[in-house]
């Protein structure tokens, strides 16, 4: 064992009790002890209708619900008969309640001046947000967008991105946000699948001092759709962020001109509880990303409730909540916009990267805005560790109360560093486990209640009946590995895969317990320890988690084989110091192509163009043949161990390896 892995085992066994509120500078913990949590948890599982009904009472409804839950597996209807609007509860309610002048969104753009101060900063109050959202909602209507029309949003992290999401919610038009790092092809695929009539974009977005040409990518996507014979987009609305030179075409509309002429009077559309709020595409084990469907009332309640308790959000206490994710991912949907705004604590949005212009940027933001809750990915924490302690040490981080992580397992060293260097050795760390499909947190510590262990996401969230089971739904024994399952419906669960009912059933609902009840299968391996804590052990399907972003190995494979030089490709995850999991590709070149550095480079660029930079393989190995079983299946487990460096290959023919030789040795184990 290396020193580091010994340290890791030692750290895993340490238990940290929640601090007293005064130790972190808050006046109370909303859930203040393990007993308190247990009491609420028991109620949430045994009397879900009462538990959720009481939470729902705190929200605005145009019409009260008839029933809290109708469960006809795998279809859940929460708050049937009720009518509400998510935008109303995020924005208008605060204005109505007399808090219109309080900050709703605090924003910082990426560029800095010569003394390192940000050039662009904005604060939007609830009232200002209401005005902007209402105007944009009217602009959307004027372009023929109404209830049920899916609007695609492809923007950088400017407040207008949140405004666009809320404007859609206001008029009942579901949105589909596409992460700004995705390519034209990825946009085209998603827009086509959703038959989206409208795209909202920006001229560009700042990322590490460079402009990401968002509008150009949209133009290229439209061209791709036109070439393929199905192009549903009628309008492209473009917000000018960075004076990037763009071409104006027949479909294009200027955000600023349209907004200047728009009225700020646009009442919220009453929506049925189960109307679609948004679609969000995520990777699965096939080559094609799936559109995860989330609906109105249940999603709103679960994200607001989890935001409140996981992060201890309390209004009127000068809290500032900062989640560093991009709104293009579920984390940004739930914990930048929809879950935070109803809690009346300002949400901070930042446009740029963590190390621009220096590796102190994030900590300067915490200092400048006196951030109280900070929520980021383990990948970022590992990068900060590498960049050096002098960066956090140069800033005042004493405002921080709660630290969160999300997206991938956190290694105990990174957890300890986060607690010591960022959290002054006192801030509780909430390692939140959840998924695009779950909508909000499903396993997480509560900062004032749950004893934490580095590397464990600890206990189920209120309302979540989580278990580790075998394929037949039998609960695993203590410390025995199994599958992560959820046995009862919860309000923010996905309601479907857009346009693919069968995929919804097959992917998530094929586990049925002995008593005939279908369980939700998350696709992760897990175990529970002697304290009942959950430990996530990684995906059980062909999905890999790169820097906290989910990617299907098949997606990367299809991108690779689409290149003329590739006959066959297999993609697996490999351990990566910063990213957690890196991407390893094994490629068989076509006759006439040589597997050299140049080809490697052009394949990496090709994948970036086809999917996005996040999908670029970290390692490409050329092989004359891929190792296969006698029945012709690629031996992925063997490839994973080769990629991890565990299996030595002796038959190296200069650049072209013959992995089929290793396959013969490994045949027995697969
Ligand atoms: C997958 C979901 C949840 C929002 C961001 C990612 C992994 C997520 C944790 C965690 C260990 C985690 C799982 C999950 N994951 N959070 N705290 N510990 N693993 O959402 O893109 O839908 O990915 O991320 O493998 O299934 P996503």
């Amino acid at each position: 064992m290396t020193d580091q892995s010994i340290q890791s085992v030692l750290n895993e066994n340490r238990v940290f009790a929640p601090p007293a509120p005064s130790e972190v500078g808050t006046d109370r913990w909303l859930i203040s002890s393990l007993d308190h949590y247990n009491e609420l948890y028991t109620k949430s599982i045994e009397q879900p209708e009462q538990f959720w009904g009481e939470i729902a009472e705190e929200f605005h409804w145009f019409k009260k619900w008839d029933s809290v839950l109708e469960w006809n597996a795998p279809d859940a209807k929460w708050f049937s008969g009720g009518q509400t609007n998510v935008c109303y509860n995020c924005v208008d309610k605060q204005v109505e309640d007399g808090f219109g002048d309080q900050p709703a969104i605090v924003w910082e753009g990426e560029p800095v001046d010569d003394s390192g101060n940000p050039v662009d900063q904005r604060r939007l109050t609830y009232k200002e947000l209401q005005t902007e959202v209402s105007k944009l909602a009217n602009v959307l209507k004027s372009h023929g967008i109404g209830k049920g029309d899916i609007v695609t949003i492809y923007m950088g992290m400017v407040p207008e991105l949140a405004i666009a999401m809320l404007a859609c919610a206001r008029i009942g038009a579901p949105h589909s946000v596409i992460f700004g790092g995705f390519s034209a092809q990825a946009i085209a695929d998603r827009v086509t699948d959703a038959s989206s009539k409208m795209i909202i974009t920006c001229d560009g977005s700042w990322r590490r001092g460079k402009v990401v040409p968002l509008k150009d990518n949209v133009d290229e996507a439209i061209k791709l759709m036109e070439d393929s014979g199905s192009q549903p987009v009628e309008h492209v609305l473009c917000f000018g962020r960075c004076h990037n030179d763009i071409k104006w075409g027949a479909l294009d509309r200027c955000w600023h001109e349209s907004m200047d002429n728009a009225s700020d009077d646009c009442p919220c559309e009453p929506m049925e509880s189960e109307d679609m709020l948004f679609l969000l595409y995520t990777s699965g084990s096939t080559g094609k990303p799936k559109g995860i469907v989330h609906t109105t009332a249940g999603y709103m309640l679960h994200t607001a409730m989890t935001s409140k308790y996981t992060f201890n959000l309390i209004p009127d206490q000068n809290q500032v909540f900062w989640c560093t994710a991009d709104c293009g991912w579920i984390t940004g949907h739930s914990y930048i916009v929809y879950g935070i705004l109803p809690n009346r604590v300002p949400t901070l949005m930042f446009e740029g990267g963590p190390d621009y212009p220096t590796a102190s940027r994030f900590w300067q933001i915490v200092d400048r805005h006196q951030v109280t809750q900070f929520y980021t990915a383990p990948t970022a924490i590992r990068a900060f560790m590498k960049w050096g302690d002098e960066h956090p040490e140069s800033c005042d981080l004493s405002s921080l109360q709660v630290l969160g992580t999300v997206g991938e397992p956190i290694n105990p060293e990174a957890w300890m560093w986060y607690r010591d260097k960022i959290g002054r050795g006192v801030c509780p760390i909430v390692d939140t486990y959840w998924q695009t499909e779950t909508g909000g947190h499903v396993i997480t510590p509560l900062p004032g209640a749950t004893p934490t262990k580095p590397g464990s996401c600890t206990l189920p969230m209120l309302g979540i009946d989580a278990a580790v089971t075998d394929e037949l739904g039998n609960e695993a024994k203590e410390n025995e590995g199994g599958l992560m399952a959820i046995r009862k419906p919860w309000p923010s669960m996905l309601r479907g895969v857009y346009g693919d009912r069968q995929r919804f059933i097959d992917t998530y609902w094929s586990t049925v317990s002995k008593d005939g009840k279908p369980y939700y299968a998350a696709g992760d391996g897990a175990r529970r320890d002697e304290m009942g804590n959950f430990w996530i052990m990684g995906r059980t399907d062909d999905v890999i988690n790169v820097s906290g972003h989910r990617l299907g190995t098949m997606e990367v494979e299809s991108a690779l084989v689409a290149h003329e030089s590739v006959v066959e490709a297999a993609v697996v995850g490999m351990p990566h110091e910063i990213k957690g999991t890196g991407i390893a590709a094994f490629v068989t070149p076509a006759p006439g192509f040589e597997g050299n550095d140049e080809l490697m480079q052009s394949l990496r660029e090709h994948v970036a163009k086809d999917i996005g930079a996040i999908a670029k393989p970290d390692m490409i190995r050329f092989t004359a043949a891929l190792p296969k079983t006698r029945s012709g299946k690629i031996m992925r487990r063997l490839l994973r161990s080769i990629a991890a460096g565990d299996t030595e290959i002796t038959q190296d023919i200069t650049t072209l390896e013959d992995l089929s030789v290793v396959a013969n040795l490994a045949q027995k184990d697969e």
Side-chain angles (χ1 to χ4, degrees):
M1 263 189 159
T2 62
D3 283 354
Q4 220 198 14
S5 49
I6 292 168
Q7 199 51 48
S8 179
V9 170
L10 293 177
N11 285 338
E12 275 182 15
N13 290 320
R14 292 178 67 177
V15 182
F16 293 87
S22 61
E23 280 184 84
V24 299
T26 181
D27 75 343
R28 73 198 129 116
W29 294 121
L30 296 170
I31 299 182
S32 54
S33 67
L34 203 51
D35 286 346
H36 189 184
Y37 157 79
N38 280 326
E39 184 194 318
L40 289 170
Y41 181 73
T42 306
K43 176 173 172 184
S44 74
I45 300 300
E46 288 173 4
Q47 300 163 278
E49 313 216 344
Q50 201 179 333
F51 177 82
W52 288 108
E54 282 167 21
I55 290 175
E57 295 286 354
E58 293 166 28
F59 289 76
H60 169 272
W61 296 82
F62 294 101
K63 180 171 168 281
K64 203 179 159 165
W65 59 93
D66 300 321
S67 65
V68 173
L69 171 65
E70 289 164 29
W71 176 228
N72 185 7
D75 300 304
K77 284 192 179 147
W78 286 90
F79 298 92
S80 245
Q83 287 185 341
T84 183
N85 183 292
V86 176
C87 179
Y88 190 99
N89 281 288
C90 286
V91 183
D92 300 61
K93 186 169 185 296
Q94 325 297 354
V95 178
E96 294 297 311
D97 290 351
F99 304 111
D101 292 337
Q102 292 191 354
I105 296 179
V106 176
W107 175 75
E108 196 172 301
E110 189 189 78
V112 290
D113 62 18
D114 293 343
S115 26
N117 294 317
V119 180
D120 308 299
Q121 288 195 65
R122 277 163 66 195
R123 249 168 201 269
L124 278 113
T125 63
Y126 288 99
K127 181 69 203 145
E128 287 163 341
L129 187 57
Q130 186 186 39
T131 304
E132 294 301 300
V133 169
S134 302
K135 284 166 93 172
L136 184 64
N138 279 327
V139 171
L140 297 180
K141 279 184 177 173
S142 74
H143 292 321
I145 300 297
K147 216 174 192 171
D149 296 323
I150 297 172
V151 174
T152 297
I153 301 176
Y154 179 71
M155 300 172 87
M157 282 292 284
V158 283
E160 282 67 22
L161 168 49
I163 291 169
M165 292 164 72
L166 291 162
C168 289
R170 193 170 191 88
I171 61 172
H175 54 67
S176 160
V177 185
I178 302 178
F179 170 56
F182 278 124
S183 69
Q185 185 62 55
I187 303 170
D189 293 344
R190 288 158 175 78
V191 169
T192 311
D193 187 74
S195 306
S196 193
K197 290 201 287 185
M198 170 135 201
I199 302 180
I200 310 181
T201 188
C202 297
D203 57 345
S205 164
W206 290 107
R207 189 79 190 171
R208 297 202 164 89
K210 293 203 190 95
V211 170
V212 184
L214 298 171
K215 172 65 166 59
D216 292 352
N217 292 347
V218 169
D219 290 348
E220 204 185 321
I222 298 221
K223 176 89 185 34
L224 288 168
M225 290 186 281
E226 277 165 0
D227 292 350
S228 76
S230 73
Q231 198 297 90
V233 179
E234 292 166 14
H235 303 284
V236 175
L237 184 67
C238 184
F239 175 77
R241 160 66 184 124
C242 38
H243 304 287
N244 190 28
D245 219 0
I246 56 169
K247 289 179 277 312
W248 289 95
L251 307 180
D252 300 339
R253 311 281 173 260
C254 169
W255 171 294
H256 309 270
E257 264 173 40
S258 316
M259 289 290 272
D260 284 347
N261 299 322
S263 147
D264 62 3
D265 179 24
C266 179
C268 292
E269 190 74 36
M271 301 299 291
E272 299 296 328
S273 293
E274 284 297 339
D275 278 340
M276 192 191 337
L277 177 65
F278 65 84
L279 254 185
L280 184 59
Y281 285 86
T282 188
S283 301
S285 40
T286 72
K288 199 172 154 273
K290 49 198 171 184
I292 300 300
V293 175
H294 281 289
T295 58
T296 298
Y299 175 82
M300 172 175 80
L301 299 186
H302 186 92
T303 55
M305 182 277 281
T306 51
S307 298
K308 177 173 171 179
Y309 293 130
T310 304
F311 301 115
N312 201 53
L313 297 185
I314 310 173
D316 304 313
Q317 294 217 345
N318 292 321
Q319 289 184 334
V320 176
F321 176 87
W322 183 20
C323 162
T324 69
D326 190 286
C327 285
W329 310 107
I330 191 71
T331 309
H333 283 61
S334 302
Y335 300 107
I336 293 178
V337 182
Y338 293 121
I340 308 302
L341 291 170
N343 280 293
R344 201 158 48 82
V345 165
T347 180
L348 191 144
M349 289 177 80
F350 173 55
E351 179 181 37
D355 53 350
Y356 186 85
T358 70
S360 299
R361 186 65 189 266
F362 268 20
W363 315 125
Q364 290 165 346
I365 294 175
V366 169
D367 189 342
R368 192 158 32 240
H369 301 282
Q370 294 291 292
V371 169
T372 42
Q373 284 89 354
F374 178 74
Y375 191 30
T376 198
T379 292
I381 298 168
R382 288 189 291 264
F384 291 130
M385 285 172 78
K386 207 171 130 190
W387 292 334
D389 295 356
E390 64 273 23
H391 298 288
E393 278 164 8
S394 70
C395 298
D396 174 15
L397 306 181
S398 63
S399 57
L400 291 168
Q401 300 175 356
V402 178
L403 302 176
T405 71
V406 55
E408 44 177 332
I410 180 165
N411 46 313
E413 291 74 32
W415 197 101
M416 290 302 299
W417 184 89
Y418 197 29
R419 182 183 152 93
D420 289 341
K421 302 294 171 189
I422 307 304
R424 315 183 298 282
V426 290
C427 293
I429 294 177
V430 291
D431 171 354
T432 63
Y433 165 83
W434 57 296
Q435 308 175 297
T436 304
E437 292 87 341
T438 68
H441 302 157
V442 295
I443 315 270
T444 177
L446 300 176
T450 317
T452 49
K453 279 188 179 184
S456 167
C457 49
T458 72
L459 301 174
M461 190 53 187
L462 306 179
I464 304 293
D465 184 15
V468 177
T469 70
D470 64 13
E471 270 96 9
L472 301 170
N474 303 306
E475 201 158 349
K477 291 193 214 56
E478 194 177 289
N479 280 318
E480 187 181 69
L483 306 171
M484 184 70 213
I486 304 178
R487 296 179 291 201
K488 291 204 174 93
W490 67 103
S492 64
M493 62 197 272
L494 80 164
R495 300 299 196 270
V497 171
Y498 191 68
D500 200 341
R501 173 83 183 162
Q502 202 53 47
R503 195 166 172 194
F504 171 59
I505 295 169
D506 295 346
T507 313
Y508 304 106
W509 300 99
S510 44
T511 311
V512 179
S513 71
K514 273 188 293 233
D515 49 1
K517 289 192 187 130
Y519 287 0
Y520 171 80
D524 284 302
R527 71 177 165 89
R528 276 189 104 157
D529 67 15
E530 57 292 341
M531 288 167 73
N533 287 320
F534 283 81
W535 296 77
I536 305 299
M537 291 152 62
R539 300 285 312 187
T540 54
D541 52 10
D542 293 324
V543 168
I544 51 178
N545 195 317
V546 182
S547 303
H549 300 317
R550 190 158 141 183
L551 269 178
T553 51
M554 289 250 308
E555 272 175 86
V556 186
E557 286 167 8
S558 4
L560 285 167
V561 296
H563 194 270
E564 51 165 4
S565 69
V566 177
V567 172
E568 205 175 20
V571 168
V572 293
M574 63 173 196
H576 189 286
E577 197 194 338
I578 303 289
K579 298 178 175 182
T581 307
I583 304 173
F586 294 84
V587 167
T588 306
F593 287 90
E594 203 188 318
N596 53 22
D597 285 354
E598 202 184 319
L599 182 59
M600 202 177 293
Q601 218 30 51
S602 52
L603 287 178
R604 282 166 49 86
E605 288 314 316
H606 170 75
V607 174
K609 206 164 171 353
D610 201 60
I611 305 174
I614 51 168
K616 270 191 194 177
D618 296 282
M619 175 185 101
I620 296 183
R621 287 175 69 168
F622 295 104
T623 165
L626 288 169
K628 288 184 186 151
T629 60
R630 281 190 198 91
S631 60
K633 268 178 55 186
I634 293 174
M635 302 167 88
R636 288 173 186 281
R637 194 147 57 92
L638 174 63
L639 290 179
R640 273 194 291 271
S641 84
I642 294 173
D646 300 342
T647 304
E648 264 206 60
I649 305 172
T650 45
Q651 329 288 326
D652 209 328
I653 329 161
T654 60
T655 57
L656 206 60
E657 300 163 332
D658 188 358
L659 293 178
S660 55
V661 176
V662 210
N664 293 333
L665 303 173
Q667 199 70 258
K668 289 195 292 295
D669 319 333
E670 282 284 319

